[in-house]
Amino acid sequence: MSDDLGFGKLLDDDGLVARLLGKTCKGRNRPLLYGPDLPVVFLTGGPGMGKGRLLRCVRDEFGRHVPAAHLDCAAPVHAERAAQHPSTRSEVTEALRELAVQFGAWSGDGGAIGVPRLYAGLVAVAAGDPLAGQAAGLDEVRRHDDLLPKGSFWGGVLHRAFRSYLAALAALFAAQPLATPLITAILDELFERVSSEGKATLEDCYGAYSGAAGHPRLGLHALSVDFQQGGEGRANAESFLFRALREDVEAAYTSVRGRMARAGRPAVLLDHADNALGRRLLRPVLLDRESGHHDRVVVIATARRADGGRFLYRSTDADAGVVTSWSPGDGGLPVWQRRQGGVPGLVAPARGALLVGMPTLTTEQQNNEVARLQGHGGHSGAAGHGARSGTSGAAGHGQGHPGPAGHQPGEHASRLRVESGIHRLSGGRPRFVTRLGEGAASLRAPDPAAFTDWDLLDAPVRSRAEPEGRPVPVADLLLDDLVTRQLPEELPPEQHDHWLDLLSHLSVAHTGACAQHLMQARQEGRDERLSAYRITELLADSGWPQCPRHFIGDRGLRHLLMRRLYRLRPDGAAWQEDHELLRAHFAARADTGDSGADEPCGTAGAHAAHHHLAAGGVEAAVDHLTGAFPLRDPSRSMARWCEELLAVAGAPCAAPLSGAPDDRHARALGEAPPAGGDWLRRRVDRLLHAVWLYEDRTRPVDQALTGTWRPLLDRLGEEPVPGTEVLTRTAGEWAQLAQERQPLKPCACTRHLG
């Protein structure tokens, strides 16, 4: 199957999709899952998780065996077409037309699916504009001709051929101006020519419309009037039109021919379904099924938020938190059943949803994808192990030994180095893996000892949209894919051009308060501003994860933004100013005696030292830790000092971005001791650089560095200071974490490291 990276458990013969549709991708029948009451399936995951790619796989592979209509709710074409005639069109009607056209083009078992119910509703809406001229109104009605089966109307239920029906309409309008409203004439002509079977069909559908009392003509007229009213009335009409489409599809399966020729279930696939158009399509389905109006259409939609989106929940409903969530990694198939009880119309729509978390790629899948993009084919187990452990090629394989046939010595070590970088940056996010793999394919066996993750982000690639264009750094392409092209729906239009800049500045922030101070400074003088707290909400709505210790809660995205921040102005001026701004802010808090108990860095002073270190103030950071050591400051506990050390050492380093020499390794090993200072300062300096380089994690772990921790901590513990036993315990804990390549201060966005 094409483009199915990471979807094996969803698309295989016993996977969720096959059991929902009753068909495998090869066309074999499978037992149906659920029914007749079906959930709406939401594929949840942030940008780059492959939701849209999965829907395309379902359409292309399973869509050869069951009718599958695919719609991108974010495509501008629906709004553009609706704007051409806003009184009789909306984004919803244009989307329903698109779905109907795709069902009408189905050429598999059972043939095309006609949509006479939807046709009747759309015709009523098209004829309902009281201000439209006769010719314009007829053009709107005739626009829907393509929604009917070829050759006859309703498969022969009209007494006359469809062409005769259209000819009668044309003659009616050509003779003289109408004395009655267009919609009345259209409905009169329709019901004049429809058979008793057709009338019964319309009665079952539009006779159930609000206020119709079983009379389909009244129902269609009321639907048209509601659509003209706009607001809630139009929303009700649109909801009913989608029900009419689903009833058309249902009828194609329950007819005599359908029962004989059709198998499995049809599908409606809605990409970007958590935006306004998607919500207007999905909410009626959820409410219909909650009220017992069931159909066999499998609705699969995408949503960026892990909870599917706020529109699924009611804040006052006790059942709002009850929703079925499942991930392929959970094993088996999701068990779903609609929960009973509650007041009809007041229960949370989420009761009818099944949330399917999109899977991240395993390390083996990541390595295989990188190998494929580099033209190496599959991977051996040794390669996968090397990337997982984060070791360099030299550590796992002797340098200078000949590699496999066709490979130069050292090429395998370079490959492992690239794979480990992709693993750290991507966190298994498929779009990250593929883009970084494309960038890695353009590199020529980089030196594994000198290559960093920042170098990987600089790898040149060509955009798929412009394959003949100039190569750009893969980091820029990823930001375009994941941020610029996926702006939050509620982001004010005046902020669209600033969004990427704001996020770039926020890449250095930690808590909301820290980010808010930064935003106030960076948006000073603007009339339209965004608070950091509002940006947090927008990022969550976009599907980006949150981390208590980092404002940008995805490590890969944070690195993309930090790289961009450094290059925003010459010589890293924006980077320098942001860190200096925060350093000054937290230093002032420390000077006023604000301990900063709520700080992610432990204290305001440590937070200031963190940013000072990132801005190049290495000596000031060492001074802070030396002065805070319990030997110099008895008010500090040893455990708290160790926490401050980790907080300060978590600072990003600008040296790899600037191309300046990075002396952290030499200082950590004592090969480049700092000038001046006593024995305590020299030991703290070495320990800080060793921990800083380890926590940086933009290159493989160097065991020589981790081996310095215990002797340095032991020597600090030689002094008669209370709590020195904490240093011994800490040394053991760090050694264990380093053995497993885990961060010394793990958080939500670094759990995949190791």
Side-chain angles (χ1 to χ4, degrees):
M1 189 181 302
S2 62
D3 206 24
D4 62 348
L5 177 66
F7 297 154
K9 292 183 179 180
L10 290 168
L11 301 181
D12 64 22
D13 288 356
D14 289 305
L16 178 63
V17 174
R19 294 294 303 279
L20 282 171
L21 300 180
K23 288 280 188 179
T24 69
C25 62
K26 301 296 184 183
R28 293 187 290 273
N29 292 336
R30 297 297 299 149
L32 290 171
L33 188 65
Y34 316 130
D37 185 11
L38 290 174
V40 173
V41 179
F42 287 83
L43 306 175
T44 64
M49 286 301 296
K51 304 179 298 297
R53 186 164 54 89
L54 177 57
L55 288 190
R56 291 191 294 272
C57 283
V58 174
R59 177 196 63 190
D60 296 341
E61 304 298 335
F62 292 84
R64 295 178 296 179
H65 310 292
V66 294
H70 178 277
L71 185 78
D72 184 356
C73 297
V77 64
H78 312 301
E80 292 168 358
R81 291 173 179 168
Q84 295 171 7
H85 210 292
S87 60
T88 56
R89 304 180 195 175
S90 70
E91 286 187 76
V92 172
T93 61
E94 297 310 297
L96 294 177
R97 264 189 54 83
E98 175 62 28
L99 294 173
V101 167
Q102 293 184 43
F103 280 127
W106 167 251
S107 59
D109 294 342
I113 294 178
V115 291
R117 295 165 182 81
L118 178 64
Y119 168 81
L122 290 178
V123 162
V125 168
D129 184 359
L131 302 179
Q134 185 174 308
L138 181 59
D139 286 343
E140 276 295 288
V141 172
R142 299 281 312 258
R143 176 173 174 262
H144 300 300
D145 293 355
D146 59 338
L147 297 185
L148 292 168
K150 304 299 181 184
S152 64
F153 183 40
W154 274 347
V157 298
L158 271 183
H159 293 309
R160 300 184 182 183
F162 177 51
R163 292 185 182 277
S164 298
Y165 165 67
L166 296 176
L169 286 180
L172 178 66
F173 296 126
Q176 59 184 359
L178 290 175
T180 59
L182 178 61
I183 183 166
T184 302
I186 291 292
L187 294 180
D188 285 347
E189 190 66 28
L190 177 64
F191 282 94
E192 172 71 21
R193 297 177 181 279
V194 75
S195 68
S196 58
E197 183 182 352
K199 288 179 181 177
T201 299
L202 285 177
E203 183 175 321
D204 289 342
C205 181
Y206 290 99
Y209 192 79
S210 178
H215 299 286
R217 189 194 303 256
L218 290 178
L220 284 165
H221 196 278
L223 181 141
S224 177
V225 171
D226 284 349
F227 191 91
Q228 287 297 313
Q229 286 181 347
E232 186 176 351
R234 175 170 287 197
N236 289 336
E238 292 171 340
S239 300
F240 202 89
L241 288 172
F242 196 10
R243 178 192 293 186
L245 173 61
R246 300 196 311 277
E247 288 187 1
D248 281 329
V249 178
E250 184 71 13
Y253 275 77
T254 56
S255 66
V256 174
R257 181 186 178 192
R259 289 195 298 268
M260 295 176 60
R262 300 186 191 276
R265 289 175 177 146
V268 169
L269 311 172
L270 302 178
D271 199 5
H272 300 104
D274 52 353
N275 70 4
L277 173 57
R279 296 193 299 270
R280 288 159 66 187
L281 290 171
L282 289 171
R283 190 173 179 82
V285 182
L286 291 162
L287 297 179
D288 277 350
R289 293 179 178 179
E290 182 68 44
S291 64
H293 193 94
H294 301 147
D295 57 78
R296 73 186 67 212
V297 179
V298 175
V299 180
I300 305 179
T302 68
R304 292 173 293 182
R305 288 175 62 106
D307 62 4
R310 288 172 290 184
F311 77 101
L312 292 177
Y313 302 88
R314 293 182 186 272
S315 59
T316 59
D317 187 14
D319 294 335
V322 179
V323 59
T324 302
S325 300
W326 175 83
S327 173
D330 296 339
L333 291 173
V335 177
W336 180 88
Q337 185 174 11
R338 189 179 302 276
R339 180 173 175 174
Q340 300 303 309
V343 179
L346 295 180
V347 297
R351 295 208 314 187
L354 170 63
L355 306 182
V356 177
M358 292 298 294
T360 56
L361 300 182
T362 66
T363 307
E364 183 178 4
Q365 289 170 330
Q366 294 175 47
N367 293 346
N368 286 337
E369 174 68 357
V370 174
R372 182 188 69 81
L373 292 168
Q374 293 182 319
H376 295 314
H379 255 54
S380 66
H385 173 75
R388 278 192 297 273
S389 66
T391 56
S392 67
H397 303 273
Q399 292 190 13
H401 292 279
H407 295 277
Q408 297 298 320
E411 182 177 344
H412 185 62
S414 298
R415 197 160 116 203
L416 292 179
R417 174 63 194 85
V418 167
E419 288 168 351
S420 65
I422 291 176
H423 172 69
R424 287 191 294 272
L425 287 169
S426 71
R429 194 177 292 267
R431 179 68 65 86
F432 254 105
V433 173
T434 300
R435 285 298 197 196
L436 292 174
E438 292 170 350
S442 68
L443 301 174
R444 297 293 183 185
D447 178 5
F451 191 73
T452 71
D453 295 355
W454 299 111
D455 298 320
L456 180 59
L457 293 177
D458 285 335
V461 293
R462 284 187 170 87
S463 169
R464 294 175 186 175
E466 300 180 15
E468 302 302 323
R470 182 178 179 181
V472 298
V474 66
D476 296 346
L477 206 57
L478 275 168
L479 283 175
D480 187 58
D481 287 346
L482 303 176
V483 179
T484 306
R485 296 178 182 272
Q486 302 194 50
L487 297 176
E489 181 185 10
E490 297 181 7
L491 181 69
E494 61 271 14
Q495 297 288 355
H496 286 187
D497 292 339
H498 305 298
W499 181 241
L500 195 53
D501 284 345
L502 293 180
L503 294 185
S504 298
H505 291 298
L506 288 170
S507 65
V508 305
H510 296 93
T511 63
C514 170
Q516 178 66 0
H517 181 75
L518 197 56
M519 285 297 92
Q520 288 173 339
R522 286 306 182 188
Q523 297 180 96
E524 187 176 3
R526 285 191 199 168
D527 292 334
E528 303 294 339
R529 303 184 187 184
L530 280 176
S531 74
Y533 307 106
R534 181 59 180 141
I535 292 174
T536 296
E537 294 178 342
L538 294 173
L539 287 172
D541 287 343
S542 299
W544 289 108
Q546 295 182 332
C547 174
R549 289 184 54 224
H550 299 94
F551 187 87
I552 301 297
D554 182 89
R555 186 177 185 272
L557 175 63
R558 189 164 66 250
H559 276 68
L560 294 177
L561 294 170
M562 284 196 294
R563 175 190 174 277
R564 184 179 183 276
L565 175 65
Y566 192 86
R567 289 165 169 76
L568 203 55
R569 290 168 55 190
D571 301 322
W575 168 291
Q576 192 77 15
E577 287 180 9
D578 283 349
H579 282 290
E580 286 288 353
L581 179 70
L582 293 176
R583 182 206 64 77
H585 171 68
F586 289 105
R589 286 184 58 184
D591 291 342
T592 60
D594 185 349
S595 63
D598 59 339
E599 289 293 340
C601 293
T603 66
H607 203 154
H610 169 101
H611 289 291
H612 211 158
L613 184 61
V618 178
E619 307 307 326
V622 176
D623 287 341
H624 169 80
L625 289 171
T626 303
F629 190 72
L631 183 64
R632 301 283 173 85
D633 185 356
S635 67
R636 307 284 182 118
S637 71
M638 194 64 72
R640 186 175 181 182
W641 185 84
C642 291
E643 286 296 317
E644 285 199 27
L645 169 63
L646 292 181
V648 174
C653 181
L657 288 165
S658 65
D662 187 354
D663 66 347
R664 288 180 295 173
H665 193 274
R667 288 184 71 162
L669 296 179
E671 297 171 355
D678 58 10
W679 62 269
L680 178 59
R681 192 182 190 284
R682 289 193 294 272
R683 291 176 190 175
V684 170
D685 182 274
R686 285 192 60 187
L687 184 60
L688 172 62
H689 281 83
V691 175
W692 186 20
L693 197 54
Y694 178 85
E695 291 288 83
D696 184 28
R697 302 308 293 274
T698 58
R699 65 189 75 203
V701 173
D702 186 344
Q703 294 299 324
L705 288 178
T706 61
T708 65
W709 295 342
R710 182 174 290 279
L712 287 172
L713 287 169
D714 284 345
R715 293 192 67 188
L716 286 174
E718 291 175 355
E719 298 302 315
V721 180
T724 53
E725 70 280 0
V726 172
L727 297 177
T728 301
R729 184 170 67 250
T730 299
E733 293 171 353
W734 288 3
Q736 181 63 34
L737 289 169
Q739 186 176 359
E740 299 172 0
R741 273 78 179 180
Q742 295 294 315
L744 301 183
K745 193 175 179 65
C747 60
C749 60
T750 60
R751 290 173 182 161
H752 66 282
L753 298 179

